[in-house]
């Protein structure tokens, strides 16, 4: 995926000058007293790097730093989603899709855990110390179509009552 295509997918503005390429995003906080500049660039290894700078004279360094990290984390998640064609859905010991309690649920359940990165799915299982959890790898298109189908079915059943 080119930087221009990624910019379009993320709703950002592509900028290029003198060999520098960036995607500027309207993410973060912009008020009269606070200004946020967020952009993505690609290093020589091909990795996307998110840069965020918040200027707010009335706040201390620690607060600004934590807010910048929050914005970066959100953009990295958006990047991960935009670049992935797979979804990794957490499953319970029976191999069923599950909620945060490990109970079997449908793919459109509000508490279902899924990730656009296999590493994040593995980290979630490890961090939560769930020995019985695993994950299933699904094609992203299938996952999203199945969620839509289940939502439509649920709405139809609700409307017929």
């Amino acid at each position: 995926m080119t930087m221009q295509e990624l910019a379009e997918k993320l709703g950002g503005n592509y900028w290029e000058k003198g060999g520098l390429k960036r995607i500027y995003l309207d993410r973060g906080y912009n008020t009269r007293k606070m200004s946020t500049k967020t952009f993505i660039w690609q290093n020589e290894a091909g990795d996307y790097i998110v840069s965020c700078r918040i200027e707010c004279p009335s706040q201390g360094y620690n607060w600004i730093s934590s807010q910048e990290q929050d914005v970066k984390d959100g953009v990295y998640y958006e990047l991960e989603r935009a670049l992935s064609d797979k979804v990794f859905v957490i499953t319970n010991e029976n191999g069923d899709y599950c909620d945060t309690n490990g109970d079997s649920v449908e793919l459109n359940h509000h508490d279902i855990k899924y990730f656009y990165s296999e590493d994040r799915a593995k980290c979630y299982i490890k961090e939560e110390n769930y020995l019985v959890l695993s994950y299933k790898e699904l094609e992203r298109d299938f996952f999203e179509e199945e969620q839509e189908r289940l939502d439509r079915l649920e709405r139809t059943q609700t409307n017929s009552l």
Side-chain angles (χ1 to χ4, degrees):
M1 178 179 302
T2 67
M3 290 276 286
Q4 293 93 330
E5 292 168 333
L6 184 58
E8 187 175 313
K9 209 167 193 179
L10 295 173
N13 296 315
Y14 178 74
W15 175 88
E16 183 175 353
K17 185 174 183 179
L20 289 177
K21 298 177 183 178
R22 293 181 178 172
I23 300 171
Y24 283 93
L25 301 167
D26 185 17
R27 305 295 192 277
Y29 316 97
N30 290 298
T31 65
R32 286 184 301 154
K33 296 181 180 181
M34 183 168 34
S35 167
T36 305
K37 292 179 180 50
T38 306
F39 64 90
I40 299 169
W41 58 283
Q42 197 170 20
N43 66 14
E44 291 176 4
D47 299 322
Y48 291 105
I49 310 298
V50 178
S51 178
C52 177
R53 177 73 182 126
I54 295 176
E55 293 179 17
C56 184
S58 64
Q59 294 294 334
Y61 172 79
N62 288 338
W63 183 88
I64 289 173
S65 181
S66 72
Q67 297 305 303
E68 288 172 344
Q69 190 59 51
D70 285 348
V71 171
K72 286 181 188 178
D73 290 345
V75 173
Y76 275 119
Y77 177 79
E78 287 182 64
L79 263 173
E80 200 172 83
R81 185 173 191 268
L83 297 171
S84 177
D85 58 350
K86 303 282 186 199
V87 176
F88 302 88
V89 184
I90 302 299
T91 59
N92 61 20
E93 67 274 5
N94 300 325
D96 300 329
Y97 306 120
C98 63
D99 62 12
T100 53
N101 296 322
D103 298 326
S104 298
V105 295
E106 296 285 344
L107 277 179
N108 66 336
H109 191 273
H110 67 278
D111 262 353
I112 193 168
K113 282 290 186 193
Y114 61 92
F115 303 89
Y116 294 98
S117 154
E118 187 173 18
D119 289 340
R120 283 195 193 245
K122 288 177 181 176
C123 284
Y124 173 78
I125 292 169
K126 185 177 178 182
E127 287 172 7
E128 297 298 322
N129 292 319
Y130 287 122
L131 301 176
V132 295
L133 293 184
S134 188
Y135 60 89
K136 286 184 183 176
E137 179 180 318
L138 302 174
E139 293 295 323
R140 182 174 162 186
D141 290 343
F142 168 78
F143 174 74
E144 291 172 352
E145 287 169 9
E146 187 64 8
Q147 281 189 315
E148 256 182 55
R149 185 187 72 77
L150 292 169
D151 285 344
R152 277 193 313 272
L153 182 62
E154 198 172 272
R155 283 192 302 273
T156 303
Q157 290 173 347
T158 304
N159 291 338
S160 67
L161 296 177

